[in-house]
Amino acid sequence: MAYQAGGQRSVPRPVPESPEAQAYLLDYGAYLEAVPFPSVVLDHRWDVVLSNAAFASLFRDVSPHPTALPSDNFLRFVLFHPDAPSVLGDHETGWCLPMLAGFAAAVERHGHDHALQAIRREIAQDPIMEAAYRHGLPHWIRAVGEGAVEHDGAVRPLLHPDPRWGATECRIIGETPTTLRDMGYTRLTMVLREARPAAASRRARGARRGASHLSVVPTPEG
């Protein structure tokens, strides 16, 4: 895991080769721990480089998984972990489709990347995700507009395991300093906020709904 429990600093992974970059990330990990909201540093594959204790707390009830833990690769968690809808409210439109759109853009920029190719193969092997990627995603982007795929500024629902928050919302803040950006990393912070009461029950219903089908893809006949 990127975060080392017990009040220790976050340890970057994968560890960069440059001693200067290593030192910067260790210090940045200490800074990240001072942030009270879930915050994570990702590379272009969505591998988690750094995360803080609040991020770990948000996903503390997630069950073990061989490839899709939120502390390992956030994209795989959103797409493939069966527990993702229990934390990420409105899982399909609030999280899954924007992440798929970001993945499609990353494939265009880094098509040679073996890790991204591996994720693409995983999507292809999952009939639901493959249908969403090939057919549902273009339809959704046309319907909601290109701006909906952006993470920074988006307000997205969460189902926090801490009852002090419960069914709530977060504003995603993209705040990547130049040094991190030059390393190819992105930082996202989920600023928790009070949810509208009417939206909470809707998100709870969405969390209980099975992941056997995505609504942006027509239901198969038969």
Side-chain angles (χ1 to χ4, degrees):
M1 295 175 62
Y3 172 72
Q4 301 298 304
Q8 300 178 22
R9 287 187 173 195
S10 294
V11 177
R13 51 176 294 234
V15 177
E17 295 182 2
S18 164
E20 293 82 4
Q22 293 175 20
Y24 176 86
L25 286 177
L26 285 173
D27 290 338
Y28 199 85
Y31 165 72
L32 212 62
E33 277 308 314
V35 177
F37 299 115
S39 194
V40 61
V41 175
L42 307 166
D43 67 12
H44 71 277
R45 306 177 184 96
W46 286 272
D47 284 339
V48 174
V49 178
L50 292 169
S51 61
N52 64 1
F55 184 86
S57 178
L58 176 63
F59 300 105
R60 67 191 183 198
D61 293 339
V62 168
S63 59
H65 192 283
T67 63
L69 285 175
S71 57
D72 291 332
N73 184 282
F74 194 62
L75 175 65
R76 279 193 169 100
F77 170 73
V78 173
L79 299 185
F80 302 121
H81 199 298
D83 292 348
S86 71
V87 182
L88 307 176
D90 286 348
H91 175 248
E92 178 186 338
T93 57
W95 297 92
C96 186
L97 289 169
M99 293 291 286
L100 276 175
F103 172 74
V107 168
E108 287 187 10
R109 293 192 302 269
H110 309 282
H112 62 283
D113 188 287
H114 294 302
L116 291 178
Q117 291 175 4
I119 294 174
R120 181 65 187 94
R121 289 193 294 272
E122 290 179 55
I123 291 172
Q125 292 167 4
D126 185 313
I128 298 171
M129 288 302 164
E130 179 68 5
Y133 186 78
R134 292 175 61 87
H135 307 294
L137 184 60
H139 169 75
W140 178 73
I141 292 175
R142 286 194 300 270
V144 302
E146 295 285 346
V149 308
E150 295 295 330
H151 296 298
D152 181 42
V155 176
R156 292 180 182 159
L158 289 175
L159 300 163
H160 203 293
D162 188 331
R164 292 175 297 177
W165 292 105
T168 186
E169 292 177 333
C170 70
R171 170 86 66 181
I172 298 181
I173 304 295
E175 43 185 353
T176 307
T178 302
T179 305
L180 277 186
R181 190 182 309 114
D182 290 346
M183 295 178 188
Y185 300 150
T186 301
R187 177 186 170 193
L188 299 175
T189 299
M190 305 175 193
V191 179
L192 303 178
R193 53 187 246 166
E194 294 297 328
R196 295 186 302 274
S201 61
R202 184 177 69 250
R203 286 193 294 277
R205 289 196 301 270
R208 290 192 294 268
R209 186 171 56 246
S212 61
H213 180 68
L214 294 179
S215 63
V216 296
V217 182
T219 304
E221 297 294 334

